[in-house]
Amino acid sequence: MKNRQLSIAMVVTLLLAGCGGAKSDAGDNKPSAGSKGTVKLAINPWVGYEANADVLAYLLEHQLGYTVEKKNLKEEISWQGFETGEVDAIVENWGHDDLKKTYIEEKKVAVEAGPTGNTGVIGWYVPQWLADEHPDITDWNNLNKYADLFKTSESGGKGQLLDGDPSYVTNDEALVGNLKLNYKVVYSGSEAALIKAAQQATAQKKPLLFYFYEPQWLFAKEKYARVKLPAYSAGCDADPKKVACDYPDYKLDKIVSKKFADTGGAAYGLIKNFTWTNDDQNLVSDYLTNQGMSADQAAEKWVKEHESTWKPWIPAGS
Amino acid sequence: MTAVLTRPTSDVAEPESPRRRATGRTVSGILIVATVVAYLVFHTTAAADAPDAAAFRFLGDVRDWVDANRDTHPVFLYGVNYLRLGVRLLVDVVRAALAGLGLAGLVAIAGAIAFVLGGWRTALLAVAGLLGFGLLGLWPESVDTLALTLTAVLLSVLIGVPLGILAARVRWVGAALRPLLDVMQILPTFAYLAPMTLLFLIGSPAAVVATLIYAVPVTIRITELGIAGVAPSAVEAATALGSTRRQLLTKVRLPMARPTLVLAVNQTIMMALSMVVVTALIDAPGLGVNILRALERVNVGAAFDAGLAIVIMAIVLDRVTTAAARRRRRDWRIAVPVLAAAAVIAVLPIPDGLPRISFAKPVNDLTSWVELHWYDSTEGLKNTISTVLLNPLENLLVTTPWWLFTLAVLGFGLLVAGWRAALIAGAAAAGLSALGLYQHSMQTLATVLVATALTMLLGIAAGVLSARHDRLAAITRPVLDAAQTMPSFVYLLPAVALFGASRFTAIVAAVIYAVPPVVRLVERGIRDVPATVVEAALSAGSTPRQLLWKVQLPMARGGLLLAANQGIVMVLAMVVVGGLVGAGALGYDVVAGFSQREDFGRGLAAGLAIVLLGVLLDRLTQGFHRAKGPS
Amino acid sequence: MTPTIAVRQLWKVFGPRPERVVGTPLADLSRAELRARTGCLAAVRDVSFEVARNEVFVVMGLSGSGKSTLVRCLTRLIEPTSGEIEIDGEAVREMSAKRLRELRRHRVAMVFQHFGLLPHRSVLDNAGYGLEIQGVGRAERRRRAAEVLELVGLTGHEQQLPEELSGGMQQRVGLARALATDPAVLLFDEPFSALDPLIRRDMQAEVRRLHAEVGKTLVFITHDLAEALTLGDRIAVLRDGELVQVGTPEELVGAPADGYVADFVRDVPRADVLTVRWIMRPAVDGEECEDTPLPSGTVIRDAVARVLRAERPIAVVDGGERVGVVDAEQLLPALLGHRRQVPA
Ligand SMILES: Nc1ncnc2c1ncn2[C@@H]1O[C@H](COP(=O)(O)OP(=O)(O)O)[C@@H](O)[C@H]1O
Ligand SMILES: [Mg+2]
């Protein structure tokens, strides 16, 4: 029935828009204001993100009485959603200064809504058993010594460094060149491919050097060791071509659409106040991935057990 | 079910004279020698493609322009944006109608329609299938997918049928549409999601338009075939009695083409369904979302459940439309009460109290077992093929200068496919380097060629076997049907588990994807060898092996070459998707352009390069089977 | 009286720029030469003839000689390149599209070699198609369709689909469809070629019967001489698009215009077609004849017994007047040989 009303609303919109032409957000006239409306959350494709979104969605629905629409979108496309009105909030953003520039500064369709409290770590990893076998492998200085271990059909005689989804932030090509490593960056193309490779490396005891990141549910299942690269110092990654240092820690944050920030009321307040730890997120991720819980079940379990964490998020007066 | 749609190939070449064949051989000999010599003299060091070619910048600028003018330029204000709103409205209406019926209502209505069109067997299938969605716990998602598919099919039919009629009746329309449709049919699904989001943004409208573009060529093609195939004698007779043009169309052409038109709808549905799943990448709701999420969590079992729902939907839609094509008298005395009963059930509020079943766990267990125990042997296979075939071929191609590659394509194109096809293929070859993606194109080409070779090898073997053993054919047919309807994504994960993130993984996925239609075409080619010829050969004392090699395979050559043409186009589509699992090259560029703002131009250029590669391969192979095939 | 159909200097040239052929030196080239020079094919060349009311006019020729093209030009199913066509005195080539449709709907109907039935319609609806597109109401059209179906002997098959009928029955449907609009002229393009010989003979008898019953003007195309001879009041012989001879069956067999026609009629049993007029000789002065003379229109075969039994020659009379005599000597060559005969 909701849909039918929506359709009628849209016919009206079409007619009204008739004289002035249709803007790209025409038809998205659902109130995102405090009238207990619908909140459209982007769901980016990794489980940690979903943990944030699921808990927020649960609280929005059960504590504040909103309806939540989850939209499965890649990062870049979620940002486009601010413009079209398809997305109200992104609840775990990794940097993306270029997108902030476009959508927040230039187009003015989005605003920042504070950190999530999580720290994002990007780095190079090997399976724990390999680090146990060769303890010095976790120092980048020794990587060339082990290049042969990491040779594959794709690496053209060099060692292979497996990278992930192309949407991820990476300096690996530059790092390999600038650190004079005898390695070739091979792009797995997706998080799934990366995880499969890592799992196989553990299960089959195959050496693997790969790009990965935390928080990530895989760490709750299997152990991987991080390879130490030259330490990060502010500005050492300023020129992407000359990078020769490790990745910085990312302060993950939330972004919401301008419209939502202006009219989102309690829902916006909740999202703005939301902040928790990596452990919190990993716990929910684990419920989701390894305990076979649905989004709702996982969120419910966490919310039941962590009232003191989320109580302060609820905006006063709602 | 999913009959392979072949593009029409009507030109019949004159039979070759022995002398022409001999000179042909000399010419190709000279050409090969010349190419080899030129390669030895001019080969390059395969410098990587520049990261910032002019084409990328241009496409990036296009995107920025569109972004900046989306709400101001009249093309958007009065065109594109309205289109988007209209499509969205349509989707919402269809979805509201389907969802409003509820599980019981939809099952009843679908069952009744299936009964009226196809009898009780079809009805049973439809009811069981739709209940299956509920049993799998995928009811809302299935309704979303169904709504998107039906909307796209509706639009495809509304646009495609009139165009198909025009193409069949008006010569220049047909001539103008043909190359366009050719290109649209080689376009891998992946390549035009990005342009869609550029114009229509994300969500259902973009998904429906993408699906429409993917499916409508089939609607147009088959409609054209159907209308052009109407017996001229009937048209003439009706004209002789004084029919007007409109009467000819409505009373003669359309009714006589009805079975073909229903086939057009049927095939459009199949195409649309497979595309709708992919559009989950641009925020279309439905079963595709489940598959994508399952992939993100590396959960093959969950993807299997959703894939199964899609297969069920495909089977039900296929059987119902196929039944509608059959010309039979319908007994309205039974049909009307059945429909009425269904309508009553539809308005009654019946709660959905179905138990839930899921194949996720057994499938996951099986996958883990296979992953654990097959890994070593698959590693060997991957490494052998990579070092023996893939690496040398790729090395050869990337070190060939672009102009030599273009010349070679031109030369061999002239030889096997005629000057027209050669010119088109040559232009496509030159275009690859103009886009600044020559190296990546050659890498993709190498993967495609190896995958095609493996596909043909397996496909011909399996096709021959099932052509010769009816029992085997009866068993493989439903498997092939299901394999073809399973969304291609589902194959990626097991392949990546066994073969790692590598080009070979893409090859394996491509082979799985392309073998079924090849098997089908080969089988049909062999079975179509006239029984009298086979009889004659047998009575002359041929052994079964001689029969195969001397009679059946040579006579099925047309079918085999057509299979190669289809195979290569499908392989290309899947190799590109292989960018998601480590196949790199053009596929990766597309994926990257799709998800990283600064790579957009490059991604779009890679999409274009894929199209050019497709055109090149298609022209060469299609020309080949046109020029040499026993039509 | 105006002829029902009059055709004058009709040309049909297929190919690129066909209009450049007629009225130029190109028109004098043979079909093969023209084709080599211009790529054009003259399917009908300079054909003229007239068909009288209620006549059965047969056009005969080998396959490819242009018969189908000719008959289609009559109602402009194929647009002629040049020449005139008149039906009941009205110039067909001048007609507007609307008028032409009127002609096809009410005055001229056609029966086709491959039937051209609509497979999705019942026999009854096929027969009623012509009425349907004229806008005749459903009840009326069904009544008249049933009537013509009865006329062609298909009562009881009304609700069947064409594919459920045998070839001969399908062609009866085609015939019924053509008759349903009650046209004055019926065109047949090799209607029975696709049928088995026995059925063909039945159908020929059927056409003769219908012609006798409903009395229409028929133009009948065939490549079968026997069919032409049985049906035709007059026969036109077409070769490479040109008319080589138009005449009664008797004239064709007795006096072929050239070797082509002669070849055609060579195997016809002459005694069955020719009358005694074709073999009589002038009476020698004072010659004694049998008492009863033979009318000159007697077919030879019917005269054989009498001539052979007679002791003296028999006189041949036309009206009351004696025009010649026959005896056994004239008879034998007609019975045995294929020698060219010239009427006296
Ligand atoms: N539409 C056409 N285009 C070109 N040539 C044609 C066409 N129709 C018929 N012809 C040619 O005209 C000649 C006469 O054909 P047709 O009238 O069908 O002969 P018939 O009926 O006596 O067998 C044939 O050589 C045929 O190939
Ligand atoms: Mg003919």
Side-chain angles (χ1 to χ4, degrees):
Chain A
M1 282 308 101
K2 186 189 83 200
N3 276 322
R4 213 161 278 160
Q5 283 163 5
L6 178 70
S7 313
I8 294 165
M10 234 173 306
V11 175
V12 174
T13 316
L14 268 174
L15 293 177
L16 288 181
C19 358
K23 292 268 171 89
S24 55
D25 59 353
D28 290 290
N29 54 350
K30 276 174 290 174
S32 54
S35 67
K36 302 296 175 224
T38 305
V39 180
K40 287 165 277 182
L41 292 182
I43 306 290
N44 288 355
W46 58 90
V47 174
Y49 185 108
E50 274 184 57
N52 291 19
D54 289 347
V55 167
L56 277 170
Y58 185 87
L59 291 173
L60 281 169
E61 290 188 331
H62 294 93
Q63 294 294 324
L64 300 181
Y66 282 86
T67 315
V68 175
E69 244 181 77
K70 292 181 183 174
K71 309 221 159 201
N72 290 275
L73 300 168
K74 292 207 171 198
E75 295 155 86
E76 175 92 6
I77 300 171
S78 317
W79 284 80
Q80 290 177 16
F82 289 141
E83 195 178 357
T84 63
E86 299 249 357
V87 172
D88 289 331
I90 293 175
V91 295
E92 179 178 302
N93 174 58
W94 287 61
H96 288 304
D97 291 335
D98 55 333
L99 293 173
K100 284 184 175 167
K101 183 157 174 286
T102 309
Y103 289 95
I104 296 180
E105 288 172 28
E106 289 169 8
K107 296 187 174 240
K108 300 197 192 333
V109 291
V111 293
E112 298 191 32
T116 66
N118 295 132
T119 308
V121 177
I122 296 178
W124 295 1
Y125 293 81
V126 292
Q128 187 61 45
W129 64 264
L130 188 65
D132 293 344
E133 247 171 58
H134 310 280
D136 60 343
I137 210 170
T138 54
D139 183 346
W140 71 271
N141 287 302
N142 302 321
L143 280 179
N144 275 345
K145 191 167 86 187
Y146 292 107
D148 270 359
L149 274 182
F150 298 111
K151 256 204 293 210
T152 71
S153 64
E154 308 303 299
S155 60
K158 301 176 176 177
Q160 169 181 289
L161 167 59
L162 192 66
D163 259 49
D165 184 302
S167 61
Y168 299 158
V169 183
T170 172
N171 303 324
D172 287 358
E173 301 246 22
L175 277 170
V176 165
N178 296 333
L179 297 178
K180 308 220 163 28
L181 296 176
N182 186 25
Y183 280 77
K184 182 176 176 203
V185 180
V186 171
Y187 291 92
S188 68
S190 61
E191 185 187 44
L194 203 55
I195 293 177
K196 261 297 162 202
Q199 287 179 329
Q200 286 289 42
T202 300
Q204 310 280 350
K205 295 226 169 227
K206 297 286 170 199
L208 178 73
L209 175 65
F210 64 110
Y211 165 104
F212 216 48
Y213 36 85
E214 296 177 65
Q216 222 294 339
W217 59 267
L218 186 62
F219 290 102
K221 258 185 142 178
E222 286 156 7
K223 290 268 163 277
Y224 297 89
R226 187 166 171 200
V227 174
K228 279 193 260 330
L229 295 171
Y232 175 83
S233 59
C236 75
D237 58 354
D239 182 351
K241 292 217 172 66
K242 298 211 178 97
V243 182
C245 59
D246 209 340
Y247 293 89
D249 288 349
Y250 289 87
K251 293 273 162 260
L252 307 185
D253 60 351
K254 297 154 286 182
I255 313 288
V256 298
S257 78
K258 180 85 173 55
K259 197 161 132 201
F260 182 67
D262 293 344
T263 62
Y268 170 63
L270 174 69
I271 289 175
K272 196 168 156 56
N273 295 340
F274 169 88
T275 164
W276 65 355
T277 63
N278 279 18
D279 285 343
D280 285 322
Q281 193 193 65
N282 279 343
L283 189 59
V284 178
S285 297
D286 188 57
Y287 294 161
L288 285 170
T289 339
N290 302 318
Q291 323 256 343
M293 288 189 208
S294 73
D296 238 29
Q297 291 166 336
E300 184 174 5
K301 186 165 157 62
W302 185 90
V303 166
K304 283 235 168 75
E305 291 165 7
H306 296 80
E307 181 155 349
S308 61
T309 315
W310 60 261
K311 260 282 141 86
W313 304 343
I314 307 292
S318 54
Chain B
M1 84 189 88
T2 22
V4 179
L5 180 76
T6 60
R7 267 159 283 139
T9 54
S10 49
D11 312 16
V12 183
E14 302 276 310
E16 273 184 295
S17 70
R19 171 176 302 167
R20 251 189 72 188
R21 196 172 308 160
T23 44
R25 243 178 235 156
T26 334
V27 173
S28 45
I30 294 173
L31 209 57
I32 290 171
V33 172
T35 314
V36 170
V37 170
Y39 174 76
L40 290 177
V41 177
F42 295 109
H43 70 266
T44 65
T45 51
D49 293 326
D52 198 22
F56 308 166
R57 277 200 307 274
F58 172 74
L59 293 169
D61 290 349
V62 168
R63 173 214 171 103
D64 290 342
W65 184 86
V66 172
D67 267 353
N69 292 285
R70 192 186 303 292
D71 285 338
T72 48
H73 197 274
V75 169
F76 285 93
L77 279 184
Y78 298 101
V80 176
N81 293 354
Y82 264 119
L83 208 62
R84 182 164 153 261
L85 282 178
V87 171
R88 181 144 152 184
L89 179 64
L90 194 61
V91 177
D92 283 339
V93 168
V94 173
R95 182 165 36 204
L98 291 180
L101 285 174
L103 178 72
L106 197 55
V107 167
I109 295 273
I113 292 176
F115 176 80
V116 172
L117 292 176
W120 63 269
R121 274 164 180 275
T122 318
L124 211 62
L125 184 87
V127 168
L130 265 67
L131 284 178
F133 301 149
L135 286 173
L136 285 166
L138 293 169
W139 178 252
E141 292 88 345
S142 303
V143 168
D144 282 341
T145 297
L146 195 60
L148 283 179
T149 308
L150 292 184
T151 310
V153 168
L154 185 72
L155 290 175
S156 298
V157 168
L158 284 181
I159 296 171
V161 168
L163 273 181
I165 294 172
L166 271 183
R169 301 291 308 130
V170 184
R171 185 185 288 230
W172 68 262
V173 175
L177 276 179
R178 206 156 297 128
L180 190 68
L181 297 184
D182 275 351
V183 171
M184 283 167 81
Q185 281 191 292
I186 356 179
L187 258 173
T189 52
F190 231 54
Y192 52 88
L193 289 180
M196 279 307 115
T197 58
L198 183 59
L199 288 177
F200 297 101
L201 303 163
I202 48 175
S204 302
V208 168
V209 176
T211 307
L212 167 71
I213 295 180
Y214 186 66
V216 84
V218 168
T219 329
I220 299 177
R221 277 251 145 90
I222 305 186
T223 304
E224 181 183 356
L225 273 181
I227 295 292
V230 168
S233 59
V235 176
E236 187 173 44
T239 315
L241 285 163
S243 307
T244 60
R245 279 163 158 272
R246 170 186 292 269
Q247 285 171 331
L248 279 182
L249 185 65
T250 56
K251 291 180 188 284
V252 181
R253 290 205 169 93
L254 284 178
M256 282 184 76
R258 199 187 87 145
T260 324
L261 294 182
V262 178
L263 178 71
V265 175
N266 170 292
Q267 289 294 298
T268 308
I269 292 177
M270 295 299 133
M271 300 285 287
L273 189 54
S274 64
M275 185 68 194
V276 158
V277 176
V278 177
T279 56
L281 281 170
I282 50 172
D283 188 32
L287 293 164
V289 174
N290 292 52
I291 291 183
L292 277 185
R293 281 163 63 100
L295 290 191
E296 274 149 23
R297 297 195 191 166
V298 198
N299 187 342
V300 183
F304 183 87
D305 276 351
L308 190 65
I310 290 164
V311 172
I312 292 174
M313 195 179 291
I315 292 176
V316 170
L317 289 172
D318 176 64
R319 293 297 135 87
V320 173
T321 44
T322 314
R326 247 171 270 136
R327 197 171 270 138
R328 21 171 265 139
R329 300 226 177 84
R330 306 212 155 86
D331 192 344
W332 291 105
R333 271 167 312 180
I334 304 180
V336 171
V338 167
L339 283 172
V344 169
I345 296 179
V347 292
L348 289 180
I350 299 176
D352 154 30
L354 288 174
R356 294 276 179 265
I357 48 169
S358 165
F359 297 93
K361 196 168 154 26
V363 170
N364 277 335
D365 290 346
L366 180 70
T367 326
S368 319
W369 186 88
V370 169
E371 285 169 17
L372 199 62
H373 293 90
W374 287 13
Y375 189 79
D376 283 318
S377 39
T378 55
E379 269 293 293
L381 183 62
K382 170 178 86 177
N383 289 335
T384 315
I385 296 217
S386 296
T387 43
V388 174
L389 275 178
L390 196 51
N391 290 343
L393 184 61
E394 186 176 311
N395 191 42
L396 178 74
L397 286 172
V398 295
T399 54
T400 305
W402 70 268
W403 54 265
L404 180 57
F405 176 72
T406 306
L407 283 182
V409 166
L410 261 178
F412 288 103
L414 262 178
L415 213 61
V416 298
W419 64 268
R420 206 178 210 174
L423 277 185
I424 296 176
L432 294 176
S433 79
L435 283 172
L437 285 166
Y438 180 72
Q439 293 291 325
H440 278 188
S441 304
M442 290 302 104
Q443 287 164 7
T444 298
L445 180 60
T447 314
V448 166
L449 290 179
V450 171
T452 307
L454 292 177
T455 301
M456 289 309 289
L457 214 65
L458 282 174
I460 291 180
V464 166
L465 277 180
S466 35
R468 301 176 71 180
H469 303 284
D470 287 338
R471 175 104 38 93
L472 185 69
I475 298 170
T476 49
R477 199 159 300 134
V479 177
L480 293 182
D481 281 349
Q484 254 182 298
T485 342
M486 261 293 178
S488 45
F489 287 150
V490 177
Y491 303 131
L492 287 179
L493 263 196
V496 82
L498 290 177
F499 301 102
S502 67
R503 292 160 298 166
F504 190 70
T505 301
I507 292 182
V508 171
V511 169
I512 299 178
Y513 182 60
V515 155
V518 170
V519 172
R520 222 180 275 270
L521 283 172
V522 170
E523 182 187 341
R524 197 170 72 193
I526 291 183
R527 283 187 189 268
D528 282 353
V529 171
T532 52
V533 177
V534 174
E535 207 170 29
L538 285 178
S539 74
S542 313
T543 63
R545 168 184 289 267
Q546 286 169 329
L547 182 68
L548 179 67
W549 285 103
K550 297 191 185 295
V551 179
Q552 287 171 321
L553 281 184
M555 287 194 68
R557 202 169 73 169
L560 296 189
L561 292 169
L562 183 63
N565 177 265
Q566 290 275 311
I568 211 164
V569 171
M570 294 189 67
V571 162
L572 176 66
M574 194 67 195
V575 162
V576 175
V577 179
L580 283 175
V581 290
L586 293 181
Y588 180 83
D589 294 336
V590 170
V591 180
F594 198 66
S595 41
Q596 197 89 289
R597 190 174 177 83
E598 67 260 33
D599 287 338
F600 183 86
R602 185 195 186 84
L604 213 53
L608 283 175
I610 291 164
V611 174
L612 290 181
L613 211 52
V615 170
L616 188 158
L617 292 169
D618 175 67
R619 282 301 105 174
L620 288 188
T621 47
Q622 196 175 47
F624 189 67
H625 97 248
R626 261 188 206 173
K628 299 262 172 90
S631 71
Chain C
M1 197 175 79
T2 46
T4 302
I5 302 175
V7 173
R8 284 181 220 105
Q9 278 125 41
L10 184 71
W11 282 81
K12 175 63 200 180
V13 181
F14 288 113
R17 294 199 293 123
E19 65 292 339
R20 69 191 147 150
V21 174
V22 185
T24 68
L26 285 174
D28 298 330
L29 297 176
S30 77
R31 220 192 214 188
E33 270 178 311
L34 181 69
R35 180 154 213 191
R37 283 267 282 282
T38 63
C40 285
L41 187 120
V44 173
R45 307 168 61 106
D46 199 19
V47 167
S48 307
F49 62 85
E50 291 185 349
V51 182
R53 223 181 121 178
N54 282 355
E55 187 179 4
V56 181
F57 187 80
V58 174
V59 180
M60 195 184 67
L62 297 178
S63 151
S65 57
K67 309 180 294 291
S68 298
T69 309
L70 175 61
V71 77
R72 279 168 177 70
C73 282
L74 298 183
T75 53
R76 283 169 55 195
L77 285 175
I78 291 178
E79 204 56 57
T81 310
S82 77
E84 288 169 41
I85 300 161
E86 280 172 16
I87 292 183
D88 288 330
E90 189 180 355
V92 175
R93 294 197 63 203
E94 256 88 87
M95 289 181 181
S96 66
K98 185 153 177 291
R99 184 82 190 126
L100 185 63
R101 230 167 21 238
E102 293 299 307
L103 176 82
R104 292 174 181 168
R105 285 184 175 181
H106 301 289
R107 292 156 63 193
V108 184
M110 188 157 169
V111 180
F112 298 86
Q113 178 174 7
H114 298 294
F115 321 143
L117 301 179
L118 303 178
H120 55 284
R121 291 169 163 246
S122 66
V123 165
L124 190 69
D125 287 340
N126 260 291
Y129 180 83
L131 300 166
E132 180 181 333
I133 57 172
Q134 295 171 18
V136 175
R138 188 179 152 98
E140 166 71 0
R141 124 186 140 224
R142 296 215 147 172
R143 192 184 57 73
R144 272 159 63 185
E147 258 173 41
V148 281
L149 284 175
E150 187 184 350
L151 194 64
V152 299
L154 278 180
T155 308
H157 296 284
E158 290 88 348
Q159 292 312 322
Q160 282 177 298
L161 289 178
E163 65 189 8
E164 296 163 345
L165 302 181
S166 71
M169 284 158 85
Q170 290 190 28
Q171 193 57 295
R172 282 170 199 260
V173 180
L175 194 55
R177 177 176 61 184
L179 289 171
T181 55
D182 194 27
V185 179
L186 278 173
L187 309 177
F188 293 82
D189 185 13
E190 305 204 30
F192 309 140
S193 304
L195 305 182
D196 292 338
L198 283 182
I199 299 177
R200 195 182 311 168
R201 216 187 299 149
D202 279 354
M203 294 296 290
Q204 287 162 1
E206 191 81 24
V207 169
R208 268 199 308 257
R209 178 177 69 81
L210 286 173
H211 185 242
E213 279 178 23
V214 294
K216 311 228 174 244
T217 309
L218 308 189
V219 175
F220 196 103
I221 308 290
T222 178
H223 66 256
D224 176 2
L225 180 67
E227 191 165 82
L229 294 175
T230 23
L231 293 177
D233 293 329
R234 280 190 308 145
I235 300 173
V237 180
L238 212 54
R239 178 186 55 188
D240 284 354
E242 272 175 303
L243 270 192
V244 280
Q245 186 170 10
V246 184
T248 61
E250 213 186 331
E251 284 165 347
L252 246 61
V253 175
D258 62 6
Y260 179 78
V261 184
D263 260 359
F264 240 113
V265 298
R266 191 171 58 199
D267 294 326
V268 177
R270 325 177 63 69
D272 290 355
V273 180
L274 297 185
T275 54
V276 288
R277 218 162 68 81
W278 293 82
I279 55 171
M280 67 192 182
R281 63 172 167 76
V284 180
D285 273 348
E287 193 166 22
E288 292 275 324
C289 286
E290 290 285 314
D291 294 341
T292 19
L294 277 170
S296 65
T298 316
V299 176
I300 297 173
R301 175 163 309 278
D302 300 337
V304 171
R306 271 197 65 201
V307 173
L308 288 184
R309 247 187 281 117
E311 282 154 19
R312 290 170 292 184
I314 305 177
V316 177
V317 293
D318 190 358
E321 190 190 341
R322 187 159 114 172
V323 290
V325 297
V326 284
D327 57 18
E329 220 174 303
Q330 278 84 44
L331 206 57
L332 286 178
L335 288 176
L336 305 173
H338 295 135
R339 206 158 42 80
R340 189 183 158 111
Q341 311 252 339
V342 185

